[in-house]
Amino acid sequence: GRRRGAGGLVRGVSGPAGDVAGALVQALGPGSGIGVAVHDEDLRVLVISPSLAELSGTEPGEQVGRRLTEALPGEVGEVAEASLRAVAASREPLLRLEPAVEAGRERGWLVHVYPLHYEGRDLVAVIALDVTESRSAHERLQRSRERLATAQRMARVGSWSWEVRADRWHWSDELYRIAGLSPAGSPPDLRTLLGSIAEEHRAAFRDVTAQALRDARPYEVNFAVIVPDGRRRILRGRGVPVRGEDGAVERIHGFAQDVTELARAESQQRAAVDIGRLALTGVTFEVLLREAAGTVARELGLDVVGVAQRRGPGGPLVLRAIAGPAADYGMLGQELGAESLTAHVLREGGPLIVPDWEAQRDIPRAPLTVQLEMRSSAAVAIGPRETPIGVLTGHSASPGRVGVEDAAFMETVANVLASAEARLETEAEVGAQSEARGRLVALALDAEDRARRSISEALHDGPLQDLLALGHEVSRLRPAAEGDEAHLGRVRDGLARAVSQVREVMLDLHPVQL
């Protein structure tokens, strides 16, 4: 009775119907992708399709009447029979995924074991489905999703989709990370999303969204969001509307890229250029220090930024500029001791970054950070490492807020200040040299003028007077013989020419202002 045919087990019929059922089981040949088997109370095979027998490398007839531990090799038979035994005992179905290797090719079978009550007997049925292709497709899809997630993470790009009528959003994992949210939660709706956008960009974001719903055209928009930890992020978004059958926009899909670092780098570059231009306008170094401190505080979002220099060679360190929302301007001119962060940087060189003063053990905590209740700091030297002219420091009340990128921007500003100081010193030296040269030229001109005047006066008081006197004497002479009148005329003309020439030389040497 245990070796009844397949026709007697299906619907409890015999004859043509049983033959049809038997033919159906036999039709499940190797490679059909589905296998069927029925086991009796002793877990022996009553009927098995050729496709399922193929897994063990045997013919269906060789397994009928045998247990799986007898038909299948070693541990494989024990594991398979354990599943049958569990279902027979609990009378509860069991679903599991079983790997198999057939003809050198790995395959996957989804095996469903369930209890079967037939003509008073408690049998166990097995149905196995070949899920190799669907499993491979799923793995390919999974790998594709993983590659997409990796690419999005590297580019800081998150994708999204918005079902307009239901106001239902779908976000990629990277978009959750950009927004500072957990992927385990649900994406925010439009109202919540608008609430997280910076107030100055909220109206523009609302307008571009409304326009996209009206004209269904792709759009781009840049906006700032405030993430849950209070940080400000700059996003560049693009949306592509999709119309429904009624012509209205039913869905918008797109992406959002975190361009905070790019925007920050561009802003810092512009700020450094502006300080450099200001240095060329001729402002004093004191004004330049104040502008530099304010720029660093604004660009890096720091609570306090200060600039310190020594008061004269070997003199005490003095705070010359301070800026930031927590800055105490009454501290300007305050001397900084040997334990200050500035003094440490001047001794050891920089830059120096302190992520958290509470955990800092290498150097003592700077008194100024205690006074201002700062938790993280960065300091960079102004000027050459060997001969710095000062120190630029930045502080935040939050631990971990000041990092390597902040110090890099501070070094850029410090380089601008050092260049400005060097240029001012050079200009001062050039000015001093020009002034000295002017004095020398004035002295030389004055000496030349005195020499010319002396020569002119000597000509006036000497030869000119003698010539004039000689002229008077000649004018008193009278002709004594024939021809003397002509000789006297020539003498008088010669004396006149000599007087005129002496006077011209005198005027050339020292002009006389009438």
Side-chain angles (χ1 to χ4, degrees):
R2 291 179 177 173
R3 296 199 175 206
R4 300 174 65 179
L9 289 171
V10 180
R11 298 182 183 273
V13 296
S14 58
D19 294 338
V20 171
L24 179 62
V25 172
Q26 293 299 320
L28 300 177
S32 62
I34 183 171
V36 177
V38 178
H39 299 257
D40 63 12
E41 294 86 347
D42 295 331
L43 305 183
R44 296 181 183 278
V45 177
L46 291 176
V47 62
I48 183 170
S49 67
S51 56
L52 192 56
E54 181 186 21
L55 290 177
S56 61
T58 63
E59 295 296 328
E62 297 178 9
Q63 293 194 34
V64 175
R66 304 173 65 187
R67 298 168 65 111
L68 294 181
T69 52
E70 300 170 351
L72 301 179
E75 186 179 353
V76 177
E78 294 177 0
V79 173
E81 188 167 302
S83 300
L84 300 179
R85 191 180 304 110
V87 172
S90 65
R91 309 309 293 174
E92 294 291 336
L94 176 65
L95 184 67
R96 58 188 298 172
L97 183 64
E98 293 289 348
V101 177
E102 298 177 20
R105 185 170 69 96
E106 183 177 351
R107 303 177 67 181
W109 288 84
L110 187 65
V111 180
H112 189 187
V113 185
Y114 60 93
L116 177 64
H117 187 76
Y118 175 71
E119 294 183 350
R121 301 178 62 183
D122 293 324
L123 308 178
V124 178
V126 177
I127 297 179
L129 298 176
D130 185 355
V131 294
T132 303
E133 296 304 322
S134 61
R135 183 182 179 186
S136 298
H138 175 75
E139 291 175 351
R140 289 194 298 270
L141 178 61
Q142 185 64 27
R143 287 194 297 269
S144 177
R145 288 175 175 173
E146 290 174 356
R147 287 194 293 268
L148 176 61
T150 300
Q152 289 189 352
R153 186 164 55 252
M154 294 176 65
R156 295 287 289 168
V157 175
S159 56
W160 54 269
S161 178
W162 177 33
E163 297 178 21
V164 178
R165 291 188 177 89
D167 193 17
R168 187 164 52 245
W169 294 75
H170 305 278
W171 284 15
S172 69
D173 289 348
E174 183 59 25
L175 189 55
Y176 277 100
R177 280 189 286 268
I178 292 174
L181 301 175
S182 171
S186 299
D189 55 18
L190 182 59
R191 183 183 299 275
T192 305
L193 181 61
L194 285 173
S196 66
I197 295 176
E199 186 174 356
E200 66 270 21
H201 295 157
R202 200 171 297 162
F205 185 90
R206 187 186 298 110
D207 292 343
V208 75
T209 302
Q211 184 176 356
L213 293 175
R214 287 195 303 269
D215 57 25
R217 294 180 179 177
Y219 64 90
E220 288 189 6
V221 60
N222 290 353
F223 57 97
V225 297
I226 310 300
V227 296
D229 62 2
R231 292 181 301 162
R232 182 185 178 95
R233 311 298 297 177
I234 307 299
L235 303 185
R236 175 181 297 155
R238 177 177 176 82
V240 179
V242 178
R243 295 183 185 272
E245 295 181 356
D246 58 357
V249 174
E250 65 177 12
R251 180 189 299 270
I252 301 179
H253 57 85
F255 67 86
Q257 182 179 16
D258 186 352
V259 295
T260 305
E261 303 306 324
L262 176 61
R264 181 179 298 168
E266 292 176 348
S267 177
Q268 291 177 1
Q269 184 178 16
R270 288 193 300 268
V273 171
D274 290 342
I275 296 176
R277 289 174 178 170
L278 180 63
L280 297 175
T281 61
V283 299
T284 64
F285 195 60
E286 201 75 26
V287 172
L288 192 61
L289 291 182
R290 291 199 298 268
E291 290 296 326
T295 298
V296 173
R298 181 178 62 256
E299 291 294 327
L300 302 183
L302 300 180
D303 296 305
V304 178
V305 174
V307 181
Q309 287 185 294
R310 289 199 180 278
R311 184 181 291 161
L317 283 169
V318 177
L319 188 62
R320 294 191 57 188
I322 191 170
D328 181 1
Y329 292 92
M331 299 175 64
L332 285 174
Q334 176 179 324
E335 294 186 3
L336 306 177
E339 298 300 323
S340 66
L341 184 62
T342 300
H344 184 87
V345 171
L346 287 178
R347 287 194 304 268
E348 306 295 334
L352 177 65
I353 301 172
V354 181
D356 189 355
W357 280 106
E358 298 293 339
Q360 178 64 39
R361 296 292 181 268
D362 296 337
I363 61 174
R365 182 164 186 177
L368 182 62
T369 63
V370 177
Q371 182 178 349
L372 297 175
E373 298 181 351
M374 297 293 106
R375 288 289 300 274
S376 56
S377 304
V380 298
I382 302 174
R385 184 183 182 90
E386 299 77 12
T387 57
I389 63 174
V391 176
L392 175 64
T393 59
H395 311 275
S396 173
S398 302
R401 178 62 183 80
V402 184
V404 175
E405 294 180 355
D406 300 320
F409 174 65
M410 292 171 62
E411 282 191 303
T412 301
V413 175
N415 291 335
V416 174
L417 293 176
S419 298
E421 174 73 1
R423 183 182 61 80
L424 290 174
E425 288 183 356
T426 302
E427 289 179 353
E429 292 177 1
V430 172
Q433 293 175 359
S434 298
E435 185 178 352
R437 180 177 179 275
R439 288 195 300 269
L440 291 174
V441 170
L443 290 174
L445 292 175
D446 186 60
E448 182 181 358
D449 183 68
R450 287 196 303 269
R452 286 173 174 269
R453 181 182 299 178
S454 176
I455 295 173
S456 178
E457 291 174 352
L459 289 174
H460 178 272
D461 295 339
L464 180 61
Q465 298 303 319
D466 291 341
L467 289 173
L468 291 174
L470 182 60
H472 284 292
E473 293 296 332
V474 171
S475 64
R476 297 175 63 185
L477 295 178
R478 296 291 181 264
E482 185 178 355
D484 289 347
E485 184 66 32
H487 290 296
L488 289 174
R490 287 194 292 273
V491 170
R492 286 193 292 270
D493 292 341
L495 289 173
R497 286 196 303 273
V499 169
S500 176
Q501 290 173 355
V502 170
R503 283 176 173 168
E504 287 178 359
V505 172
M506 289 170 51
L507 291 176
D508 288 340
L509 290 173
H510 187 70
V512 177
Q513 299 291 333
L514 298 181

